[in-house]
Amino acid sequence: MIDLNIIRLGNEDGPEGDDDLERGVATKAKPKTKKPSMYRVLLMNDDYTPMEFVVHVLINIFNKSPEDATRIMLNVHQAGIGTCGIYTFEIAETKVAQVMDAAKRNQHPLQCTLEKV
Ligand code: TYC
């Protein structure tokens, strides 16, 4: 997310006109920053993907510890759906693509999606 912090030279022009050339005081415009929208990456349960593969995905794509990965996998296994993490759009989108690609390459039906938080 790119944000430009505009530097305004001089004060706002009063009745005397273009102050920018008369006084060399540099004032910084109020920095306007926007928080990026966040996206939840969700993993879906299915009957065929091996538990070890899901744990592997959580460790290698979502940077989870083996303990957290196992806990998240078991939660998805019993609840049907679960959160792998919350990221900015580009990162969330990339992780979904990485999971889907790994699942496809290994011929597992594992499904992964994202939703806006
Ligand atoms: N239900 C799968 C099994 O019993 C394991 C599994 C867990 C699959 C989580 C997908 O997102 C998933 N082998």
Side-chain angles (χ1 to χ4, degrees):
M1 196 137 303
I2 299 162
D3 231 294
L4 299 175
N5 288 332
I6 297 159
I7 307 285
R8 200 199 302 121
L9 287 174
N11 48 14
E12 287 303 322
D13 287 348
E16 62 277 5
D18 193 352
D19 284 343
D20 292 358
L21 302 170
E22 297 170 35
R23 301 188 193 91
V25 184
T27 57
K28 208 170 184 186
K30 196 211 251 154
K32 264 204 219 119
T33 53
K34 274 209 215 80
K35 284 191 207 135
S37 301
M38 301 302 282
Y39 294 80
R40 189 178 288 123
V41 176
L42 298 166
L43 211 52
M44 260 61 74
N45 186 38
D46 65 72
D47 292 339
Y48 305 102
T49 304
M51 290 185 171
E52 300 70 35
F53 181 79
V54 179
V55 171
H56 168 88
V57 158
L58 287 162
I59 291 170
N60 291 288
I61 299 176
F62 295 94
N63 309 313
K64 303 297 181 186
S65 66
E67 294 76 20
D68 279 357
T70 303
R71 180 182 52 75
I72 293 166
M73 181 280 294
L74 286 173
N75 172 61
V76 175
H77 175 70
Q78 70 92 39
I81 191 166
T83 302
C84 306
I86 296 175
Y87 309 94
T88 55
F89 183 75
E90 275 196 299
I91 294 173
E93 193 188 33
T94 300
K95 293 200 185 285
V96 169
Q98 288 172 335
V99 173
M100 296 305 284
D101 181 62
K104 193 176 179 180
R105 280 189 286 106
N106 290 278
Q107 298 176 289
H108 297 312
L110 183 63
Q111 293 292 306
C112 183
T113 60
L114 58 83
E115 69 173 20
K116 201 167 185 199
V117 174

